[in-house]
């Protein structure tokens, strides 16, 4: 009795070559499984791809300290590194399933199916999943991969369908496997052809033909899927291309002529969209169709629930402002800060029209919870949103519709607060509630519920470990203290006295300020340090602190070696 489905007949002993080929078969089956799943996901929803779904589940369950380490170590490549790690784990798993299938074909194929079930479960339990169809890519991919592995191992050992261990072909009884033999586990059937004989070589050739053709077909299918793209993504891209931004009722004030010192190496006053930092948890950038986008406003203190389209939002009074955004993950001297010209509708106006009052006026809600299409939740203090600052529901960035990476079609921008408590991208709902009643995504992970931006300054040039020539060296950089402004920047060389840097003209108190300091640099190794004082008169402290729980602080320093002039 052959309970595993392996062909009956004489079998041969598995060799090391068979084991290597079985491991290869597991890898091929996994590759084909993922390619098929991605192809199906391109027609369902890219976020339903098993690697993306499992990766997103891993992100949600990763301790905050590990996430912070990944951002520090890999920067904006942290998501690619995570996906690579998942693929490496899957490769090891695939090798194991291939070796398992060499002895138990059904169990090996079932292991592929089990991984598919894990991907399906991860996909349908994501906060942004609204359909059981999200399970389809993982299930279809696993089914194809499992069948392929079963077939590949069958081709590898076609002359006997198993290995000479008594665990596959001899599963029924020892008498069936070999007349007159006992039923002991170690008793194997009569060996078939010698491993180096013609039939064995033919088995392996058939295996390699099936493996190669399957891999090529999967590669073609994956390329086709990427070339054709997702209908939903295509519609979203078309909706962005067709969008025409309204002329602002309140244009941004002109940037003062002295706000942009002409110093090589300093950060530009306006950060180009392509260079603007991106820190979020989305492994696949959501692409939302602007024509189908809706914003729901509801919760405590809302007189009547509202639902707005993008056209509704753009038809309101629009405001254009230069605002600097900073990420709480930015370490002292780090890159996760940028300045852009945003266009949008004032959030406070919308809230007041809906009947919302801040706590200082007796309103019942002290927290605004913004929800993204990818399930992210951002908690923002209502008082700050409604205190007169330019808190926006932004749909434009530096003169064009928001890039998908930065929240198209609409995101929140609130000057003076770190992004994790204000800058919800791909926003789809706003709920008025309290900090006591609800913890947004980052709070249970160890971050503070409220996080005003801390005063910071950074040396952009000379670069760390630079080797400028002796003489006049222009030290320059940026300083920021959004919604308080920057009053003063000072530079120190080694342990010398603090010297005032030249501050560029201030655009607004919500933007960073560039600064310069001409330094007569003598030869040798030197340490340059900078500190800033904000508009309230508070100077940033010397001691460096970690980014958790509410942002890093401390002085930024760079070490340079000044060389003799040539």
């Amino acid at each position: 009795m052959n309970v595993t489905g392996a062909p009956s007949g004489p079998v041969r002993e598995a060799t090391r070559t068979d084991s290597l080929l079985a491991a290869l078969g597991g890898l091929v089956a996994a590759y084909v499984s993922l390619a098929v799943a991605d192809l199906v996901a391109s027609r369902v929803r890219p976020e339903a791809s098993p690697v993306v779904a499992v990766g997103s589940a891993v992100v949600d369950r990763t301790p905050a300290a590990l996430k912070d380490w990944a951002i520090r170590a890999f920067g904006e490549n942290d998501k690619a590194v995570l996906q690579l790690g998942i693929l490496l784990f899957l490769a090891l798993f695939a090798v194991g399933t291939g070796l398992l299938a060499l002895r138990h074909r059904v169990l090996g194929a079932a292991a592929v199916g089990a991984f598919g079930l894990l991907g399906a479960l991860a996909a349908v339990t994501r906060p942004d999943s609204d359909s059981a169809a999200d399970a389809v890519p993982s299930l279809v991919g696993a089914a194809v991969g499992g069948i392929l592995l079963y077939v590949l191992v069958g081709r590898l050992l076609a002359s006997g369908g198993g290995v000479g261990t008594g665990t596959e072909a001899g599963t029924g009884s020892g008498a069936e496997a070999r007349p007159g033999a006992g039923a002991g586990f170690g008793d194997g059937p009569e060996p078939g052809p010698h491993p180096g004989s013609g039939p064995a070589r033919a088995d392996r050739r058939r295996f390699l033909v099936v493996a190669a053709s399957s891999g090529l077909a999967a590669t073609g299918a994956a390329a086709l899927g990427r070339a054709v793209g997702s209908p939903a993504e295509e519609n979203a891209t078309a909706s962005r291309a067709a969008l025409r931004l309204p002329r602002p009722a309140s244009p941004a004030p002109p940037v003062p002529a002295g706000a942009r010192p002409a110093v090589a190496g300093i950060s530009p006053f306006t950060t180009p969209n392509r260079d603007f930092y991106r820190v979020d948890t989305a492994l696949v950038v959501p692409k939302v169709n602007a024509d189908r986008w809706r914003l729901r406003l509801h919760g405590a203190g809302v007189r009547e629930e509202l639902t707005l389209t993008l056209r509704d939002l753009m038809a309101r009074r629009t405001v254009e402002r230069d605002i600097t955004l900073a990420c709480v993950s930015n370490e002292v001297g780090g890159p996760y800060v940028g300045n852009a010209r945003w266009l949008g509708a004032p959030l406070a106006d919308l809230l007041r029209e809906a009947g919302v009052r801040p706590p200082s006026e007796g309103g019942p809600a002290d927290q605004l919870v913004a929800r993204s299409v990818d399930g992210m939740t951002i908690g923002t203090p209502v008082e700050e949103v409604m205190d007169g600052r330019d808190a926006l529901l932004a749909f434009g960035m530096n003169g064009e519709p928001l890039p998908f990476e930065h929240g198209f079609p609409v995101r929140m921008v609130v000057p003076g607060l770190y992004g994790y408590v204000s800058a919800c991208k791909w926003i789809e709902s706003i709920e008025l509630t309290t900090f006591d009643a609800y913890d947004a995504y980052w709070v249970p992970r160890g971050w503070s519920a409220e996080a005003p931006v801390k005063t910071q300054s950074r040396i952009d040039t000379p670069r760390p470990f630079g080797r400028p020539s002796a003489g006049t060296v222009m030290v320059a950089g940026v300083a920021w203290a959004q919604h308080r402004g920057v009053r003063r920047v000072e530079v120190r060389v080694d342990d010398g006295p603090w010297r005032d840097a030249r501050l560029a003209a201030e655009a607004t108190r919500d933007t960073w300020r560039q600064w310069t300091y001409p330094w007569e640099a003598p030869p040798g190794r030197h340490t340059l340090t900078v500190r800033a004082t904000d508009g309230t008169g508070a100077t940033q402290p010397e001691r460096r602190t970690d980014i958790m729980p509410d942002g890093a602080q401390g002085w930024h320093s760079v070490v340079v070696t000044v060389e003799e002039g040539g």
Side-chain angles (χ1 to χ4, degrees):
M1 178 179 179
N2 187 352
V3 298
T4 64
S8 59
V11 298
R12 58 180 171 81
E13 295 286 349
T15 67
R16 178 176 297 179
T17 301
D18 292 327
S19 297
L20 291 174
L21 290 177
L24 174 62
L27 289 171
V28 171
Y31 172 71
V32 171
S33 176
L34 290 180
V36 170
D38 282 346
L39 177 62
V40 177
S42 71
R43 315 312 294 172
V44 176
R45 204 169 66 99
E47 293 85 349
S49 167
V51 172
V52 174
V54 172
S56 297
V58 170
V59 168
D60 288 346
R61 291 161 178 79
T62 298
L66 184 56
K67 289 182 183 178
D68 299 335
W69 173 84
I71 292 174
R72 289 195 300 269
F74 306 112
E76 295 185 27
N77 296 318
D78 59 334
K79 301 174 184 64
V81 172
L82 171 62
Q83 291 179 301
L84 178 61
I86 292 174
L87 290 174
L88 289 175
F89 171 80
L90 180 58
L92 294 175
F93 178 81
V95 168
T97 57
L99 295 175
L100 174 63
L102 187 62
R103 295 181 175 275
H104 302 278
R105 289 171 67 193
V106 170
L107 289 180
V112 178
F115 195 84
L117 288 175
L118 176 63
L121 181 63
V124 298
T125 55
R126 288 287 303 148
D128 58 335
S129 176
D130 59 0
S131 171
D134 283 351
V136 173
S138 292
L139 295 179
V140 172
V144 172
I147 293 172
L148 177 60
L149 181 60
Y150 188 89
V151 170
L152 283 173
V153 174
R155 290 291 182 268
L156 181 60
L157 300 174
S159 62
V163 296
T165 62
T167 60
E168 178 94 10
T171 304
S173 68
E176 288 181 304
R178 186 180 65 193
F185 180 81
D187 293 332
E190 290 290 342
H194 186 274
S197 66
R201 288 194 298 270
D203 296 344
R204 290 165 185 155
R205 282 197 298 270
R206 285 191 290 267
F207 168 90
L208 292 173
V209 167
V210 175
S213 58
S214 299
L216 289 173
T219 300
L224 176 63
R226 293 182 183 277
V228 173
S230 162
E233 289 189 346
E234 291 176 359
N235 291 336
T237 301
S239 73
R240 182 179 182 273
L243 190 65
R244 297 295 177 263
L245 296 177
R247 186 179 300 274
S250 176
V255 178
R260 300 185 175 100
V263 176
I266 196 172
S267 299
F269 176 79
T270 300
T271 309
N273 290 353
R274 66 180 180 276
D275 297 330
F276 208 93
Y277 76 91
R278 179 195 164 202
V279 177
D280 53 54
T281 63
L283 296 185
V284 172
V285 174
K287 292 192 174 179
V288 181
N289 188 330
D291 298 326
R292 300 181 60 183
W293 177 84
R294 299 293 184 272
L295 176 68
R296 179 189 177 205
L297 175 63
H298 63 111
V302 176
R303 185 169 46 245
E304 182 177 352
E305 181 176 315
L306 299 177
T307 300
L308 300 175
T309 66
L310 182 57
R311 300 296 175 187
D312 295 334
L313 198 63
M314 292 195 301
R316 300 174 61 84
R317 185 179 76 91
T318 56
V319 169
E320 181 184 62
R321 294 291 184 266
D322 292 317
I323 298 172
T324 296
L325 297 186
C327 179
V328 75
S329 296
N330 199 43
E331 294 188 309
V332 173
Y336 302 130
V337 59
N339 186 62
R341 177 161 289 188
W342 308 93
L343 175 67
L347 178 53
D349 290 358
L350 178 62
L351 294 177
R352 289 195 180 277
E353 290 175 21
V356 176
R357 291 172 293 134
S360 61
E361 298 177 13
D366 62 4
Q367 180 180 210
L368 177 159
V369 176
R371 287 182 170 80
S372 167
V373 299
D374 71 341
M376 174 58 65
T377 56
I378 299 291
T380 309
V382 174
E383 194 67 49
E384 276 80 346
V385 169
M386 303 185 72
D387 69 358
R389 71 186 70 195
D390 290 312
L392 301 177
L393 289 171
F395 38 75
M397 182 179 182
N398 290 333
E400 64 178 74
L402 286 173
F404 286 111
E405 293 82 359
H406 296 294
F408 182 84
V410 179
R411 67 172 293 163
M412 275 178 55
V413 174
V414 183
L417 303 178
Y418 282 118
Y420 86 100
V421 296
S422 67
C424 183
K425 296 189 285 190
W426 314 293
I427 189 172
E428 66 174 1
S429 77
I430 296 174
E431 178 183 5
L432 278 298
T433 182
T434 66
F435 284 104
D436 289 338
Y438 185 82
D439 285 336
Y441 181 91
W442 291 109
V443 176
R445 292 164 172 81
W447 297 89
S448 296
E450 301 186 50
V453 170
K454 296 181 177 178
T455 303
Q456 286 288 341
S457 53
R458 184 180 74 197
I459 299 173
D460 288 340
T461 183
R463 305 293 294 174
F465 309 111
R467 305 184 73 87
S469 298
T472 302
V473 174
M474 191 62 73
V475 184
V478 289
W480 59 94
Q482 292 93 304
H483 210 57
R484 299 186 304 279
V486 174
R487 176 185 298 179
R488 184 182 189 187
V489 171
E490 299 168 279
V491 174
R492 185 177 69 182
V493 180
D494 300 323
D495 294 322
W498 288 100
R499 304 293 187 186
D500 283 331
R502 298 172 183 171
L503 276 177
E506 182 180 67
T508 75
R509 61 179 180 170
D510 290 333
T511 64
W512 59 14
R513 291 184 78 173
Q514 295 168 309
W515 57 267
T516 58
Y517 175 73
W519 170 41
E520 293 302 322
R525 182 183 175 91
H526 300 283
T527 299
L528 304 173
T529 305
V530 65
R531 69 181 184 185
T533 300
D534 68 23
T536 70
T539 300
Q540 65 182 108
E542 174 182 5
R543 189 175 70 88
R544 289 198 179 191
T545 61
D546 191 26
I547 59 175
M548 289 189 72
D550 58 359
Q553 62 183 7
W555 298 343
H556 182 222
S557 298
V558 298
V559 176
V560 298
T561 300
V562 179
E563 300 180 329
E564 292 282 359

